[in-house]
Amino acid sequence: MQTYESYAEYYHDLTKYTPEGIASNQHRLDFNKQPTLFKEYPNRKLIDISHLLPLDKNPFSDAGIKNPDSFNSEEKSLSVLSKILYFSNGITAIVPFEDKPFYMRASPSAGGLYPTEIYVYVHDYPGLENGLYNYQALKQSLVQIYKGDLKNKISSAAFNHPAVEKSKIILILTGVFYRSSWRYQDRAYRRICLDTGHVIGNMELVSYSCGLKQVPIGGFNDQLINELLMLDENEEQVLSLISFVDKDSDLNFSVPNALPSKLDNKNIKTSEGNRLLELHQRSRSTNLVNVPNVSIENIEDKFKFSTKVEFEKNARSFGWKDKLLPVILRRRSTRAYTGESITIEELASIFEFTYRPDLMIEKNIDSKPVYFDSSLIQTFIAVNGVDGLEEGCYYFSQNEFHLRQVRFKNFRDEVYYLCLGQELGHKASVVVFHTANLSRAVFKYGERAYRYLHLDAGHLGQRMNLAAINLGLGVSGIGGFFDDQVNEVLGIPENVAVVYITTIGVPAKTS
Ligand SMILES: Cc1cc2nc3c(=O)[nH]c(=O)nc-3n(C[C@H](O)[C@H](O)[C@H](O)COP(=O)(O)O)c2cc1C
């Protein structure tokens, strides 16, 4: 067997899609074992927060919608919480079916399986007793699962991250593994983290619009947090803590947002069906480990790419004022593209919002989102139809905001094949490949790197979703692709792993 430095690399290799693997996979969806997508706490009282939403009508209860001008101070603070939860993981559309309706959420999720659960810890927060709550999306309510002060416990589980001390709200995001593995088997871990990253993307922008700055915390003792939430660890575990500080706070915290776990490549061989949980278990932290000084290679120095295209000058401000919430409500993953081209201005504007919001002239939207470590992510794009840009595969430099052409050719047919024959890949104008040098990432963050990479790729993907929707374009994530063939065909360096794909294009009328 090949040797691996980390379990994460072993997991990544063994969950790759290959043409032979897909052809021989016997897995069929068992609808008798379909997961439930909502957690229930029978006999516990629901605290309704639906009437505090900024909506025209209350879809959750008869309580109506209260006019914000008449909020008392408790309602004001509860409305902030209601808004952050709803616009990140709440139900924004209901599709009627004969047996039961299908609930669509504010953030996209691979296969519509919504593995992300949100728990809320509040401390000295007007309107709610100190304690832990589960967000009940189905009723836009909270259910108390623990009453009392847990600040010290959470703080020490988070290795005393100073943002915890400053926060009145701490959200705890977990992954319910089976919701996604029911369909995607071991590879589901990738999608669970990507999905959760999308939720984090919305959360960050919405909280900023409420005067809060989101600080994701990736370093914590997993077991202690799981115990506080009373989770069955075979089914569900914590993925991230999110703290919120005043938006003008000094964010130069002494502890980084992402901390490493150790590398664990002993007795690596694991049977199919057990690799998801095994990776997560091996990525857990128990104590604070400092981040080693690892520089992430500059891909442009290493690979001498050809033609350089400066495209910062093409970016336009497309205006977010009062648009964020309507855009989130409107967002859906595009189901079909026309195949028409978008413009270089549209592409550059989407990229500016996604990767370099600090360059935007617009100041009413968070211009410095905090990631776990987005320097780990490298971006390549296949341009199939962009007016003003030659067809081909490009490397995109986040720092310099330019493109470097890697291969010259229209990749429509190839991308269609690489995305497992999904028409979205064929008709998209641009296909974005979120990639990372996995061996450098695990060297820096141990097994936990895998989690950070996918959470951050999802976060970036969500910004891309919102920017595209704001421009009236179509967008959809793609989690299923032939991993190694993507590198071969597009000329993406071999040591760079593709972790996620986002497609952008002109939406067909039916979608
Ligand atoms: C991580 C991730 C992977 C996805 N992969 C695919 C995919 O391979 N093919 C596809 O058609 N849609 C894909 N989607 C889109 C989902 O199918 C879509 O989000 C889900 O059906 C919910 O619908 P909505 O996004 O319109 O709310 C993906 C979404 C995410 C977040």
Side-chain angles (χ1 to χ4, degrees):
M1 192 176 93
Q2 189 187 333
T3 54
Y4 291 95
E5 291 297 315
S6 65
Y7 190 87
E9 287 159 292
Y10 167 80
Y11 168 91
H12 187 74
D13 254 8
L14 272 85
T15 54
K16 281 177 177 170
Y17 285 149
T18 61
E20 311 76 52
I22 292 271
S24 63
N25 190 329
Q26 302 289 315
H27 182 67
R28 297 288 170 270
L29 290 183
D30 183 349
F31 286 91
N32 293 319
K33 294 189 178 157
Q34 205 171 353
T36 47
L37 304 189
F38 298 95
K39 274 195 97 156
E40 284 177 26
Y41 292 87
N43 309 323
R44 301 251 179 134
K45 205 176 98 211
L46 292 179
I47 304 165
D48 187 2
I49 48 174
S50 64
H51 57 293
L52 305 171
L53 285 173
L55 299 177
D56 296 335
K57 245 175 76 187
N58 186 341
F60 301 100
S61 82
D62 301 332
I65 291 290
K66 194 158 183 189
N67 181 348
D69 296 338
S70 64
F71 284 172
N72 60 32
S73 65
E74 293 191 341
E75 286 168 334
K76 232 180 227 158
S77 65
L78 270 183
S79 74
V80 168
L81 196 52
S82 186
K83 199 161 142 182
I84 296 174
L85 292 168
Y86 180 71
F87 288 95
S88 54
N89 209 25
I91 293 167
T92 52
I94 303 176
V95 185
F97 280 104
E98 243 169 52
D99 49 346
K100 54 180 180 215
F102 182 73
Y103 298 98
M104 305 188 84
R105 313 282 278 261
S107 299
S109 159
L113 293 164
Y114 307 105
T116 311
E117 277 289 323
I118 306 181
Y119 298 82
V120 183
Y121 174 68
V122 288
H123 193 88
D124 288 345
Y125 196 73
L128 278 179
E129 289 179 321
N130 283 359
L132 259 177
Y133 300 79
N134 173 260
Y135 171 50
Q136 298 271 298
L138 210 45
K139 294 271 176 205
Q140 187 58 21
S141 304
L142 295 169
V143 60
Q144 192 178 57
I145 57 174
Y146 181 88
K147 181 175 158 181
D149 183 346
L150 290 173
K151 191 77 168 245
N152 287 341
K153 279 197 171 157
I154 296 177
S155 190
S156 75
F159 311 130
N160 299 315
H161 194 295
V164 172
E165 189 46 48
K166 286 185 164 194
S167 304
K168 291 185 174 198
I169 310 171
I170 293 162
L171 299 184
I172 306 175
L173 274 48
T174 68
V176 182
F177 303 135
Y178 182 64
R179 283 189 196 156
S180 189
S181 67
W182 170 69
R183 176 166 184 171
Y184 297 116
Q185 302 169 274
D186 282 328
R187 190 171 162 122
Y189 193 67
R190 303 184 186 203
R191 290 170 168 109
I192 293 167
C193 294
L194 290 167
D195 284 358
T196 305
H198 277 270
V199 171
I200 290 174
N202 273 7
M203 209 171 246
E204 185 249 310
L205 290 160
V206 176
S207 59
Y208 192 81
S209 77
C210 298
L212 296 169
K213 176 79 197 166
Q214 171 172 304
V215 183
I217 298 175
F220 48 83
N221 181 318
D222 297 71
Q223 194 186 342
L224 291 181
I225 301 286
N226 291 335
E227 279 170 10
L228 290 181
L229 300 175
M230 293 166 280
L231 303 181
D232 175 343
E233 292 186 340
N234 288 317
E235 292 184 359
E236 178 183 2
Q237 298 209 32
V238 56
L239 296 171
S240 169
L241 307 185
I242 307 282
S243 57
F244 297 89
V245 297
D246 190 85
K247 84 174 175 193
D248 301 317
S249 292
D250 175 13
L251 292 180
N252 285 325
F253 294 123
S254 49
V255 185
N257 306 317
L259 287 172
S261 64
K262 56 184 191 336
L263 282 174
D264 184 1
N265 64 352
K266 289 190 204 75
N267 303 324
I268 213 163
K269 208 165 166 218
T270 320
S271 57
E272 216 174 300
N274 294 311
R275 292 174 192 139
L276 183 164
L277 193 56
E278 191 64 29
L279 171 61
H280 187 80
Q281 295 293 92
R282 291 189 193 221
S283 76
R284 298 185 350 159
S285 291
T286 47
N287 55 316
L288 189 146
V289 179
N290 289 319
V291 186
N293 196 1
V294 180
S295 61
I296 298 298
E297 67 191 355
N298 181 342
I299 217 161
E300 279 183 277
D301 293 344
K302 190 154 176 217
F303 301 92
K304 300 281 173 236
F305 300 137
S306 62
T307 328
K308 184 163 155 185
V309 183
E310 300 287 355
F311 92 142
E312 192 193 324
K313 61 179 187 314
N314 298 103
R316 303 276 177 270
S317 167
F318 46 99
W320 280 100
K321 196 169 182 322
D322 303 328
K323 281 198 192 161
L324 175 66
L325 304 185
V327 164
I328 293 178
L329 290 177
R330 225 172 45 233
R331 183 214 59 80
R332 296 268 73 96
S333 297
T334 300
R335 298 296 81 198
Y337 298 114
T338 60
E340 290 164 280
S341 297
I342 64 167
T343 64
I344 191 168
E345 283 79 15
E346 287 169 328
L347 182 64
S349 307
I350 293 171
F351 270 44
E352 189 178 69
F353 178 69
T354 304
Y355 296 103
R356 296 298 306 274
D358 55 309
L359 300 177
M360 289 171 47
I361 44 171
E362 194 150 347
K363 293 292 166 240
N364 59 345
I365 199 111
D366 192 356
S367 60
K368 286 202 174 72
V370 184
Y371 293 92
F372 293 102
D373 185 347
S374 60
S375 73
L376 299 175
I377 309 261
Q378 320 264 8
T379 310
F380 289 82
I381 60 173
V383 170
N384 292 334
V386 177
D387 291 338
L389 203 54
E390 201 179 343
E391 291 169 343
C393 175
Y394 295 78
Y395 166 74
F396 167 67
S397 162
Q398 279 190 47
N399 291 338
E400 310 293 330
F401 209 90
H402 63 225
L403 296 166
R404 286 274 192 187
Q405 202 159 8
V406 181
R407 288 207 174 152
F408 307 79
K409 144 176 207 335
N410 187 308
F411 282 102
R412 272 191 202 281
D413 292 341
E414 288 83 352
V415 174
Y416 169 64
Y417 166 76
L418 294 170
C419 295
L420 316 184
Q422 299 194 60
E423 205 41 41
L424 285 178
H426 198 230
K427 294 270 180 69
S429 316
V430 179
V431 180
V432 181
F433 299 88
H434 310 270
T435 75
N437 181 330
L438 202 47
S439 79
R440 297 300 287 168
V442 294
F443 192 64
K444 191 166 181 185
Y445 292 112
E447 306 295 351
R448 225 170 166 83
Y450 207 76
R451 205 191 289 194
Y452 297 145
L453 281 175
H454 287 77
L455 289 168
D456 277 347
H459 185 163
L460 291 164
Q462 186 58 12
R463 288 186 79 89
M464 228 165 241
N465 265 257
L466 297 178
I469 298 292
N470 193 4
L471 284 174
L473 297 174
V475 60
S476 177
I478 291 202
F481 46 86
F482 293 131
D483 298 74
D484 288 342
Q485 285 78 1
V486 173
N487 293 59
E488 279 165 33
V489 172
L490 295 168
I492 297 175
E494 218 177 273
N495 67 342
V496 174
V498 179
V499 295
Y500 190 30
I501 291 177
T502 306
T503 60
I504 302 168
V506 178
K509 285 248 159 43
T510 52
S511 65

